[in-house]
Amino acid sequence: MIYIVEFIVTAFRESPYHVITEIFFAVLLLVLLLQKAHNPTKEKPLTKKEEDELIAEWEPEPLSRPLNEEEKWELSTIPLIESKPGIMVTMNGKKTLNFGSYNFLGVVDLPEFTEAAKKEIYKYGVGTCGPRGFYGTLQIHLDLEQRLAKFMGTPEAILYAYGFATISSAIPTLAKRGDVIFCDEGVSFAVQTGVTLSRSKVYYFRHNDVDHLEEFLKLQDEIDQKYSCRLAIEESLSLGVLGKTERGICEYYNISRDAVECTTSSLGNAFSSVGGFCCGSAIVVKQQTLLGAGYCFSASLPALLCGSSLKVLDILEHNEKIEGPDNIFSKLKTLSLHFRAELAGIHGLEVAGDPSVPLVHLRLNSKTSQKNRHKNERILQEIVNKCFESEYPLGLTRAKYSEEEYLMPPPSIRICISASHSKEQLTKAAQVLKKVAESVFRDGISFDNELNSNEINSNNLDN
Amino acid sequence: MTKYPITFFNIVTVYMTYGVMIIFGYLEDLFEKVCASFFSVLGLVKSGKKRKILAPLTDSFQAFYVRKVYGRVHDILNRPISSSPAAWIDVLERKFVPNKVNQLEFTGKTQKCLNMGSYNYLGFTVPSGFHDKKIVETLENYSPAMCSTRNEVGRSQKLIELEKKVAEFVRKEDAICFAMGFATNSTSLPLICGKESLIISDCLNHASLVWGSRSSKATVRVFQHNNMNHLEKVIRNAIVKGQPRTGRPWKKIMIVVEGIYSMEGEIVPLPEIIALKKKYKCYLYIDEAHSIGAIGESSRGVVDYYNLNPSDVDILMGTFTKSFGSVGGYIAADKDIIDTLRLKSYSSIYADSLSPACAEQILVALDSIMDKNVGNKRVKKLKENSNYLRKSLINKGFYTIGDMDSPVIPVLIYCPSVIAEFSRKCLAKGLALVSVGFPATNLVDTRIRLCVSSAHTKSDLDHAINVMDKVGTKLMTRYKLKNKINPDKIKTPFEKFSLLENNPKISIKQN
């Protein structure tokens, strides 16, 4: 300190003006540095009074609006089921031939199927009163998981209480923020939900277009040299339908199940129950037992539904030993081919899908289809209604989709063929469909006074 | 998260436990690695080389935590049972396989235990063989499931009957029922709160509500658990500032709370929330998963408990898993909302509809509750049981949290290794408990949770208290032994509300 003062004093003696100027600049620099910046854009915070005024001004939108005419109509077309969803089903008070339920294996009508569920009510009651973690794991859950894993040929399986929650919980456990998902744009809505919830980067490739997928994968290869992809398949509709012993898409193409890291399926379709499961390697399953939201935070599957699923597994395993026409798979295939052959030449409609698949979508063809989706739905509903009213009543349904779908499928009538349908039933049904389609397209539908004429179901609108 | 008072001794022991587990875990891993590289140098282990490998599913610390911390205590979680989850259950005995890391095997034996874990509040889950005959009848007339979605061909007669009954029970215009409680929240919230809406959610809300808010296009803000001042601050701030970036006013603001918080055992201060909601023109969504059936004079949930008007709550959601002993969930609200949900909810369009037999179980339960003569017997018994157990535990010096009258009684234990031993010892003495720890709670707030049922008798509860007393003494978890509070002086949430009634802030006593 003393040295500095001495230095300044000697310097002042040598050239005073120089030192005075330097000191002046040093002080100026200090003043400038310490001065608060003048910021004209900075606002004063609102006073409480101003806040109150803003709050008083704010008016929320109503929580909901009444349904419009289209929506009301849509709601009125939902049928009421008053019996077992077997081959014959009582729909809106009338016995019809059921083509709506996903009862591919035809187990619903089997007495032992109901019996299996009943047995579990005797033993476990109905609900499980808690999630799997909190004494909601019943012995039967473990049995069913083991049996499913064995059936699918994977090390382990995990049960969910809801088909929709299965894949939408499974994907977020396998992919997180920072991961990449390549996804077919035609995947079901549950998959889309899972993919969104995972917060990963998602690329949708064109439906069933492997070349498009390859393009994506090549691009990804350039970015990331280290890791390869995992494959997850949603088999809700293919399991119990495809393959020689109904083990799904892998068996259909003769590929080992090991090639797929994660397979999920609903138990609501071929298994004619409620719930879902995911199977795969031990680590994939373990990951879900720890993190799967639909598994950890939801009550477990009621025992009676496990019981019926176990019965279906029994039936499927027994079916393996059956050769010839009684084999459920070959039966389903013959019936599907037969039904499509009978439907050939149907007026104004096209029969979509693979010929051997027991799920048939009837869509309007390029001539009959109109631009307005709602009008198309109305035409299809008219066919459904007329089939329902015909002498040989058919229980049909349109396929329903949410507006949020990534790729909205065209409107269609969805027909599920069951192994319990007989050839005669299918022939007759096809005849009725053809006749009705012809009459509908010949007469046309008027959309003006439709509310009175078209709705046979309006009276049961949640009566 | 709520902070519970904790002594210095407890903090030190908890962190020490985690520290020891983690340090020894890492040492084990290091030893394994050294050995592996040693053997590979010797050429005993062949390492195949692939060009590309699969990305790991978990980050390394999570995998480590699962192996070395969770794995050591996972025998106290996910215990399977082989009976109906009624008041007494048969727990399948498991033990660690010797010489295998964290693997459990069944010994083939079962143990009869008092069930303090299941959400069987009203005792509608009965011991094997005591079910209602109507359920079997329905099962025979319908089938286990409808094999279709609600909007296609899954709308069964039973479902309609149930929806009507539920609407009548919760005193709302209309109701819709789904086959899964979790999905009820996670698929309905996105439809109720769309773009440009704001969801203000309690920070301890259930995962289903979090998922619902996340998959909706609305913005989500969180307020501190049951903290009304913070909630008001969040609402004011939201309305004043408007939407982020654009500053436009919000279309609607929805407050989402739960009736009873299942991990805390706390009842929501509904009167204050309704006052706030009215003041700021927000909407209110209550998840009554645990409170429906379990509290209230006529077991109609938290609205009934505070004697409020159901029309003050816009959306009432609940599940059938808990009090009704079945499966599924409902949403009750005005007809317009419910019709929209019927038409557009993902669960109505894409998911299996409710099994008719399960619907019948709920109907049986509802009929019994709504019966004028015997209806509120169960809920009265439940309240008696819960308060008896809570008071006894407090008297024994256990640190219980949560509110009086709530059937969920968490007991703080703090230390993860102590809780494992606590749970094992209780099981050995015939008491099945639920233990909850990190990451479901704060790191230090590891707790035991007891769920009371009206099916428990007084001697059952005494058994539970006895066992816990013995085990608690041995493991020194009776933390409040010295500075006990008099349990009779604790006010129930309802009493607190009555005290507040004259407060101008809450001028909502129903007319």
Side-chain angles (χ1 to χ4, degrees), chain B residues 321-333:
Chain B
T321 323
K322 280 108 194 178
S323 303
F324 305 106
S326 181
V327 74
Y330 67 83
I331 285 193

Side-chain angles (χ1 to χ4, degrees), chain B residues 128-142:
Chain B
S128 310
F130 284 89
H131 60 274
D132 203 283
K133 292 211 171 48
K134 266 192 193 162
I135 299 161
V136 175
E137 249 169 61
T138 308
L139 179 69
E140 275 166 355
N141 292 341
Y142 290 83

Side-chain angles (χ1 to χ4, degrees), chain A residues 205-268:
Chain A
F205 58 90
R206 280 190 295 275
H207 179 50
N208 269 354
D209 188 342
V210 184
D211 296 333
H212 195 199
L213 172 62
E214 201 176 358
E215 271 171 43
F216 276 131
L217 289 177
K218 272 183 186 153
L219 277 177
Q220 179 64 26
D221 238 22
E222 279 164 24
I223 300 166
D224 177 16
Q225 297 288 331
K226 197 168 166 196
Y227 295 126
S228 64
C229 295
R230 283 192 173 82
L231 178 60
I233 301 186
E234 223 287 319
E235 290 227 56
S236 286
L237 286 166
S238 51
L239 191 72
V241 173
L242 291 183
K244 214 164 106 196
T245 55
E246 271 132 354
R247 280 176 168 78
I249 191 75
C250 284
E251 196 187 31
Y252 184 77
Y253 283 118
N254 226 342
I255 299 170
S256 157
R257 186 54 76 179
D258 300 340
V260 182
E261 271 77 19
C262 165
T263 312
T264 60
S265 167
S266 163
L267 291 174

Side-chain angles (χ1 to χ4, degrees), chain A residues 61 118 135 221 405 414, chain B residues 52 140 152 283 350 433:
Chain A
E61 273 186 4
K118 214 196 289 180
Y135 303 97
D221 238 22
E405 283 268 1
R414 183 176 56 71
Chain B
K52 278 198 158 192
E140 275 166 355
E152 288 178 352
Y283 299 110
Y350 298 107
L433 295 169

Side-chain angles (χ1 to χ4, degrees), chain A residues 52 58 61 81 84 102 118 123 127 129 135 137 139 176 197 221 228 230 299 400 402 405 414, chain B residues 52-53 55 57 79 81 119 128 140 142 147 151-152 155 211 214 236 251 281 283 321 350 433:
Chain A
D52 284 338
W58 182 66
E61 273 186 4
I81 314 295
K84 259 183 207 201
Y102 292 109
K118 214 196 289 180
K123 185 165 182 204
C129 273
Y135 303 97
T137 307
Q139 171 97 55
K176 301 177 291 291
L197 284 172
D221 238 22
S228 64
R230 283 192 173 82
K400 307 278 168 82
S402 163
E405 283 268 1
R414 183 176 56 71
Chain B
K52 278 198 158 192
I53 50 165
L57 282 176
R79 285 190 186 128
I81 59 175
Y119 308 128
S128 310
E140 275 166 355
Y142 290 83
C147 302
N151 282 9
E152 288 178 352
R155 183 165 155 262
W211 271 53
R214 246 171 70 178
R236 282 185 75 97
K251 284 201 168 153
K281 291 174 260 176
Y283 299 110
T321 323
Y350 298 107
L433 295 169

